Each structure stands twice: as C-alpha cells, then as structure tokens.
Amino acid sequence: MDPLIATALDTARQRGAEYADIRLVSNREQRIVVRNGVVETMTADESVGLGIRALYNGAWGFASTRELTSAAADQAAGQAVQIARASASQNGAGMTSEQLLGAPVTGRGSYATPIGIDPFTVSLDDKLALLLAADSEMAAVPQVSARMDNLVFIREERTFANTEGAHVSQTIYEAGGGVQATAVGNGETQRRSYPQSHGRQQGCAGWEYVVAMDLPGNARRTAEEAAELLTAEPCPTDIATDLIIDSSQLALQIHESCGHAVELDRALGDEAAFAGTSFLTPDLLHNFQYGSEHVNITADSTDATGLGTFGWDDEGLPAQSTDNIRDGQFVGYLMSRESATRLGLSSNGCMRASSWNRIPLIRMTNVSLQPGAWTLDDLIADTDDGIYLETNRSWSIDDRRYNFQFGTEIGREIKSGKLGRLLRNCTYTGITPEFWRSCDAVCGPEYRQLWATPRCGKGQPGQIAHTSHGASPTRFRNVRVGVMR
C-alpha cells in the first residue's frame, strides 16, 4: 500500500495542499444472532477503502474511494484539495497549517491488539454451540417468552500517513457477545441481560474474551431474574434516596454525562448532532467543580481490552492517558489537533473515524471513573436507606448534557445496611454537576470493570464509534428516583 500512500500525498502537495493525510482501512466483521432457539442472523461483511483529508488556506476538503489503485488515489487526493480550495474561497484567508494544527505529527510504527485466539479461526459450529447452549438454559424458565443470544467479531487494519512524515499501521481486534431474556406475566414485561444491556459486552480482545464471559453458565440466572421481576415491588415514586449504582449502569452514566460533555468540538459549538453541545464551555476549564473530591475521571486509550484502545488515533497521535476530572475539578477535554490549538493546548489523540469514507471526529477513548477504596459489602453496610441499581434499561439527556433520566433493569432495596427486596422499573434523574457532587464513596479496583458502549452515534453523516468506560460500584446521596416508568 505504500505506493498508494505516496501517490495520494504527492498529488495533494502538487495541487497546493499545505497539509494532507490518508487512511487506508480494511474491516472484517462477523455477527451471529440466535433468537428463541433459531439462528436468525449469520453475516460476514468486509469493507476496504481509503480516505484523504487536505488543508488549503485554513479550509478542509475530504474525499474517499473504495478502489485501491494509483489512479483512484490520485483522483481522490485531487478532489480533496479541490473541495478545500472551494471552501477557502468562501471563507476567506485562513490560518497556516502550523497555526491551525500545532506541532507536526511524525510518529512511525505498528500496533496490534494483544489476543490469545484469533476469533476468525474459531469454527462457526463452535460459536453456534455456545449460543444454543445459552439459549437452552434460558428456555428452561417458563415465564421467559423471548430469548436472544449473539456474538460479534471484528478485525480492522488501518494505515495512516501524512505530509509531515507520520506513517503508522495497526490491527485492531474486537470480540463480544451477550444474552437477553424477556419475561411476560402479571401485567408486566421485564428484561434481564448478561453481561450488560442493549445486546452485548465487547472488548478489544480475541475469542478468549467471549469464553471468559461464560454465557451458558450465566444464562439461566439471567432468565430467572427476569421472571422474578414480574412480581417484584415497584420502585418508590418520586422520592429522594441514596443510590449505589453498579459499574455497568455507571459506565453509561459516565458516557452520557461526562464523556460527551468533555468533547471539545461540542464545547466549542462545532458539533451539535445527537443530543447537541455541552455545558462544559472553555471558560469553565480549571474553573468548575464538576463533582465531589471522590470523582476522578480519565480518558485512557491504553486501557487493556477497551474499545477506545489503539496505537494511534486517526491524526497519528499516540495512545495516551489524560485527566478530564481531577478531585472533582474539570481539568481536561477530549481533543483534536485543530480544537486543541484553539485553546493553546496539544491534542490528546481523540480523533477517530468509523470507516474509510468518513472524516475523523473527536470521539471518546476509554473514559473511566477511577476506583476508590471501599469494599462493596462495607458500602452497603454503611448505607441506611437506599437502592442498589444494576444494568441500564433506558436513558435520556438534554442537548447540553445537563439534565438526565435513567432507568435500570433491576433494583434492590437497601435497609439498615442490608440488601432487601427486589425492585422493578427503577428510574432516577438529576442535573449532571449536582449528581456527581453527591458522590461520596467509590469501591476499590478489585470491583472495577471496563464496559463497552459499541453504538455511540455522532456527526452528520452519522458515524458509530466503539468506546468503553471503567467503573466500580459508587454511592450517590439524595438522588430523586421513581419519576418515570
């Protein structure tokens, strides 16, 4: 592919681009879905192509092609520069590439996701046997009327190069799966999922990641809990109480109320698709109490098995770890080269594109709440009156990432420091900084789990990114619950 890269970058320079970069991407994906004992989906998709960005007089152009030939690369590069020139003619004279992008990016090297077993070498028979075994376990629970089991495997090979001298290549593997049981009865429909909701848990890993989940070994318990919820007590209505939120639900809370809120393009008003902008505007950086002193949130693209883990982002910046919230203070954004320069900062490598035919956007890496020191047993024992919430069921957040509502699949009453009866249809609501300021205890690293959010939407045309969030069970005081069904 090196001749294609050289052709594209040379053409961009010859046509007047002050800066250009190219991404060659090859993606392979396999999905298997079993529904109610029947194989519903078995797909194998492949995609390959290249995308080119060009900068001229402070304006960008982008073009892509699925044809991996010198002629196609030359044409795409020329088109990218043509678009950049047209944009510059409308916007007037812009900044130089150095003023816009900051210091040159010149990294070189290669990276591959560490895996034990390549999932694409595992037979379909073995994959189907695992799913059917899990389905059979759920089918043993009479109240369960709908069952779903699925697996997904991805291998993506990416090469990035730019006119500043960067040239990096990486191979990223993902593996994941999950089961879901829906029970009907007593005027209720209840759902339980494993390992987490909305389809599956997923990580940058190999087949061993799926094996470790033990879907068949957890399927019957999952189905039984769905059935138990049919006769469980409802969540208390419109009261304020203490919450201990499990790590999977807290992962989505982090994603929606912190991860998106610290994307700098949203904060600058450059991006408003998919629930809008951000209340964390630049004047609040290093000048805003986002949460309590127990809240430490970090963006880390080196976190093992995280879907936001890689060698380099799609601007050639190396993987790194930076703070977003430190001791409750708002201290950092997710940034691109261009947006970071506008604040006099350096990018922390958060630009990613969903495919070769999409421009890179600022996307979450692995945005995680750092562990505290509590054990879960001690935290429950220290809570006089509250609810333990597990596994997301629904969510809603406003277009500034400020007001939110979440529902969970299951809740457990806490009375006098002990877990009590099961609760169904649990919901809670809050205002982002007030909620995080109410955090007074975080469980230790032995409880931390890294949870996937593999369907994060952003941009126009839309792009789906894969991200992860680490969390431990955490307590929040005086949170309003039971405000919606």
Side-chain angles (χ1 to χ4, degrees):
M1 294 293 102
D2 283 353
L4 285 182
I5 291 170
T7 294
L9 295 181
D10 286 347
T11 296
R13 277 188 290 246
Q14 291 167 10
R15 302 289 177 89
E18 301 166 28
Y19 167 88
D21 59 39
I22 181 172
R23 287 177 296 109
L24 281 77
V25 182
S26 174
N27 181 279
R28 181 181 180 187
E29 184 169 329
Q30 181 186 65
R31 292 178 181 271
I32 307 170
V33 178
V34 170
R35 198 175 296 274
N36 297 330
V38 176
V39 179
E40 180 185 76
T41 301
M42 189 182 297
T43 62
D45 299 321
E46 294 191 21
S47 173
V48 63
L50 60 87
I52 301 168
R53 292 194 309 169
L55 183 65
Y56 177 83
N57 201 22
W60 287 102
F62 175 78
S64 62
T65 178
R66 63 181 182 181
E67 301 293 331
L68 299 187
T69 65
S70 293
D74 178 78
Q75 182 180 12
Q79 185 179 12
V81 177
Q82 184 180 13
I83 293 170
R85 283 179 174 272
S87 298
S89 70
Q90 297 299 311
N91 296 329
M95 296 185 291
T96 66
S97 60
E98 185 176 353
Q99 290 172 324
L100 193 72
L101 300 178
V105 172
T106 59
R108 305 179 74 86
S110 60
Y111 170 85
T113 299
I115 62 172
I117 301 171
D118 185 337
F120 292 96
T121 66
V122 178
S123 71
L124 278 173
D125 286 345
D126 287 346
K127 293 169 181 173
L128 281 172
L130 184 147
L131 292 181
L132 291 170
D135 186 83
S136 177
E137 290 293 325
M138 290 192 292
V141 180
Q143 298 94 326
V144 170
S145 60
R147 312 179 306 274
M148 189 276 292
D149 322 76
N150 78 101
L151 294 173
V152 62
F153 305 101
I154 298 171
R155 183 182 67 207
E156 184 173 271
E157 296 173 301
R158 299 199 303 245
T159 298
F160 171 90
N162 66 15
T163 50
E164 296 170 334
H167 191 295
V168 297
S169 60
Q170 47 194 334
T171 301
I172 307 295
Y173 282 87
E174 294 184 21
V179 300
Q180 187 176 93
T182 302
V184 178
N186 199 36
E188 286 284 326
T189 299
Q190 295 293 332
R191 182 184 72 208
R192 281 297 279 142
S193 309
Y194 175 84
Q196 69 163 335
S197 60
H198 308 299
R200 64 184 181 270
Q201 167 67 339
Q202 196 166 319
C204 282
W207 171 248
E208 69 282 354
Y209 188 85
V210 169
V211 172
M213 291 181 192
D214 190 12
L215 300 182
N218 287 278
R220 185 171 300 198
R221 173 188 56 80
T222 300
E224 289 172 345
E225 287 183 355
E228 287 178 53
L229 284 168
L230 296 174
T231 55
E233 290 294 318
C235 177
T237 303
D238 199 17
I239 66 167
T241 190
D242 295 340
L243 299 182
I244 298 177
I245 300 179
D246 87 312
S247 61
S248 65
Q249 168 59 30
L250 194 57
L252 187 62
Q253 178 81 53
I254 294 165
H255 180 92
E256 298 294 346
S257 65
C258 184
H260 279 305
V262 297
E263 293 169 339
L264 184 51
D265 54 350
R266 291 186 185 275
L268 293 171
D270 297 336
E271 169 64 40
F274 289 92
T277 56
S278 172
F279 74 95
L280 288 175
T281 50
D283 58 300
L284 300 181
L285 186 62
H286 300 289
N287 190 36
F288 183 72
Q289 189 72 30
Y290 175 91
S292 73
E293 69 272 20
H294 304 284
V295 178
N296 294 279
I297 297 177
T298 301
D300 186 354
S301 50
T302 70
D303 207 344
T305 76
L307 296 186
T309 296
F310 45 76
W312 297 266
D313 79 342
D314 284 341
E315 288 191 311
L317 273 295
Q320 53 197 282
S321 177
T322 55
D323 290 339
N324 303 120
I325 311 296
R326 186 188 307 125
D327 299 327
Q329 287 284 321
F330 168 45
V331 297
Y333 286 109
L334 308 175
M335 298 178 287
S336 64
R337 293 179 67 184
E338 184 177 358
S339 64
T341 300
R342 288 170 64 177
L343 298 187
L345 303 171
S346 298
S347 173
N348 53 351
C350 297
M351 282 285 270
R352 292 195 286 162
S354 63
S355 181
W356 50 269
N357 59 3
R358 295 289 187 268
I359 61 171
L361 301 173
I362 295 174
R363 304 309 300 257
M364 286 176 247
T365 55
N366 306 301
V367 180
S368 302
L369 177 69
Q370 297 307 301
W374 286 78
T375 69
L376 182 55
D377 287 345
D378 286 346
L379 186 55
I380 293 170
D382 189 64
T383 305
D384 292 330
D385 189 10
I387 304 174
Y388 184 82
L389 297 176
E390 302 177 58
T391 317
N392 183 258
R393 181 176 180 175
S394 64
W395 74 95
S396 174
I397 194 163
D398 71 15
D399 60 5
R400 296 181 65 237
R401 302 284 155 178
Y402 199 64
N403 297 279
F404 64 81
Q405 297 178 3
F406 286 93
T408 63
E409 288 187 356
I410 194 168
R412 302 180 192 277
E413 188 179 58
I414 303 173
K415 287 290 186 184
S416 302
K418 295 182 180 179
L419 287 178
R421 58 184 179 169
L422 217 59
L423 298 175
R424 58 180 164 87
N425 302 332
C426 292
T427 62
Y428 67 99
T429 187
I431 296 172
T432 294
E434 292 181 4
F435 174 79
W436 285 103
R437 290 170 194 165
S438 76
C439 172
D440 76 337
V442 183
C443 285
E446 66 271 31
Y447 298 94
R448 181 184 187 267
Q449 294 191 59
L450 197 59
W451 295 100
T453 51
R455 298 186 185 90
C456 177
K458 189 176 180 181
Q460 292 177 324
Q463 299 189 39
I464 300 298
H466 297 183
T467 71
S468 290
H469 307 281
S472 305
T474 300
R475 185 172 62 192
F476 299 85
R477 296 289 196 179
N478 202 36
V479 180
R480 188 155 295 279
V481 302
V483 295
M484 64 175 183
R485 180 177 170 82

